[in-house]
Amino acid sequence: MKLEIPFTWAERHPILLDRFFYLPGHYDHREKIFPFFADAKPIIIEYCSGNGQWIGEKAKQNQQVNWIAVEKKFERARQIWLKGEREQILNLSVACGEGFLFTRYYAPLAVEIYINFPDPWPKRRHAKHRLIRASFLQELLRIVRPGGKATCVTDHPSYAQEIGAEFAKCPEWKFLFNINEWPDYGRSFFNDLWIGKGKAIHYLSYERI
């Protein structure tokens, strides 16, 4: 199995291959609809998918739903795609690119959103790189209809507080809970890593109203 982007950097543009959506950087994006799936099943989107362990298992366990893994780093996104190909997870697509741009210009309507272990960018000068900001949450409102859920997971206590503060800026997101245990949430590389180091995991959940 081989995954190649069929053009040079100079020729770059968004393209949907076989369940792999490539979203190039440094490109003048325009809103466009892509057929991520051939059927009309509800869609769940995971951001910061890493190596795809969490979403791969969820997609296999929940065939009645389509899943999109959003991962910025190409090699990680490629790894998720390869997992889907090897295991024939036909209800899983991958979006390789920056999460904010994907949401603003290309993301389809979704019934649920999961953001698993986003980079906390702990240094103040790097704060602008954090995904979960009010501007991103406003973009999510475009694709999540009332009643839809958004769940964020982090091991970083100060980032958990900031996530709560950013959601509070968007009254359309209703706070549901902030808990430290969710036994059947699912495993991922970072979940196992931080639990193994004795860190508490923060699960924050919101409803679109």
Side-chain angles (χ1 to χ4, degrees), residues 34-63:
F34 284 89
F36 290 95
F37 300 98
D39 56 46
K41 294 176 184 176
I43 294 174
I44 296 176
I45 301 175
E46 182 203 16
Y47 293 83
C48 310
S49 296
N51 64 9
Q53 179 182 356
W54 184 88
I55 196 170
E57 291 306 309
K58 290 294 183 182
K60 287 191 291 185
Q61 295 165 8
N62 299 274
Q63 295 284 330

Side-chain angles (χ1 to χ4, degrees), residues 22 31 33 48 54 74 90 100 102 115 124 141 168 173 187:
Y22 176 69
E31 188 172 338
I33 296 174
C48 310
W54 184 88
F74 180 81
L90 302 181
F100 180 87
F102 173 73
I115 308 171
R124 181 170 297 181
L141 294 174
W173 288 110
R187 297 178 59 187

Side-chain angles (χ1 to χ4, degrees), residues 5-9 11-15 22-24 27 29:
I5 306 303
F7 43 75
T8 66
W9 176 251
E11 300 168 330
R12 66 192 181 280
H13 59 271
I15 186 172
Y22 176 69
L23 175 64
Y27 178 83
H29 294 279

Side-chain angles (χ1 to χ4, degrees), residues 102-142:
F102 173 73
T103 308
R104 169 171 280 186
Y105 296 108
Y106 308 107
L109 296 178
V111 296
E112 284 189 80
I113 300 293
Y114 291 91
I115 308 171
N116 287 323
F117 299 96
D119 193 331
W121 292 97
K123 294 183 180 179
R124 181 170 297 181
R125 67 176 182 274
H126 295 152
K128 63 183 179 181
H129 298 301
R130 293 171 187 157
L131 175 62
I132 303 177
R133 293 179 289 170
S135 56
F136 171 67
L137 301 177
Q138 288 289 343
E139 293 297 335
L140 286 182
L141 294 174
R142 184 183 65 80

Side-chain angles (χ1 to χ4, degrees), residues 26-202:
H26 304 286
Y27 178 83
D28 186 17
H29 294 279
R30 296 284 189 273
E31 188 172 338
K32 185 176 180 181
I33 296 174
F34 284 89
F36 290 95
F37 300 98
D39 56 46
K41 294 176 184 176
I43 294 174
I44 296 176
I45 301 175
E46 182 203 16
Y47 293 83
C48 310
S49 296
N51 64 9
Q53 179 182 356
W54 184 88
I55 196 170
E57 291 306 309
K58 290 294 183 182
K60 287 191 291 185
Q61 295 165 8
N62 299 274
Q63 295 284 330
Q64 76 281 7
V65 179
N66 287 323
W67 300 75
I68 298 178
V70 183
E71 173 53 51
K72 185 176 181 179
K73 295 184 178 180
F74 180 81
E75 283 306 316
R76 288 181 179 177
R78 177 178 172 274
Q79 187 174 353
I80 301 169
W81 180 82
L82 286 171
K83 176 182 178 67
E85 290 294 297
R86 285 194 304 267
E87 301 179 25
Q88 283 296 286
I89 311 175
L90 302 181
N91 61 328
L92 173 62
S93 288
V94 182
C96 178
E98 204 278 323
F100 180 87
L101 293 176
F102 173 73
T103 308
R104 169 171 280 186
Y105 296 108
Y106 308 107
L109 296 178
V111 296
E112 284 189 80
I113 300 293
Y114 291 91
I115 308 171
N116 287 323
F117 299 96
D119 193 331
W121 292 97
K123 294 183 180 179
R124 181 170 297 181
R125 67 176 182 274
H126 295 152
K128 63 183 179 181
H129 298 301
R130 293 171 187 157
L131 175 62
I132 303 177
R133 293 179 289 170
S135 56
F136 171 67
L137 301 177
Q138 288 289 343
E139 293 297 335
L140 286 182
L141 294 174
R142 184 183 65 80
I143 65 171
V144 180
R145 293 294 181 254
K149 305 291 196 306
T151 298
C152 305
V153 183
T154 181
D155 64 289
H156 205 278
S158 63
Y159 194 26
Q161 293 179 352
E162 182 176 327
I163 289 171
E166 292 299 304
F167 268 95
K169 297 175 183 177
C170 305
E172 297 90 345
W173 288 110
K174 175 186 175 183
F175 174 74
L176 296 178
F177 57 79
N178 180 354
I179 57 177
N180 294 122
E181 292 186 8
W182 192 331
D184 59 349
Y185 184 79
R187 297 178 59 187
S188 67
F189 171 81
F190 286 112
N191 179 80
D192 292 351
L193 175 66
W194 300 130
I195 288 179
K197 292 180 178 292
K199 287 192 171 186
I201 306 300
H202 303 268

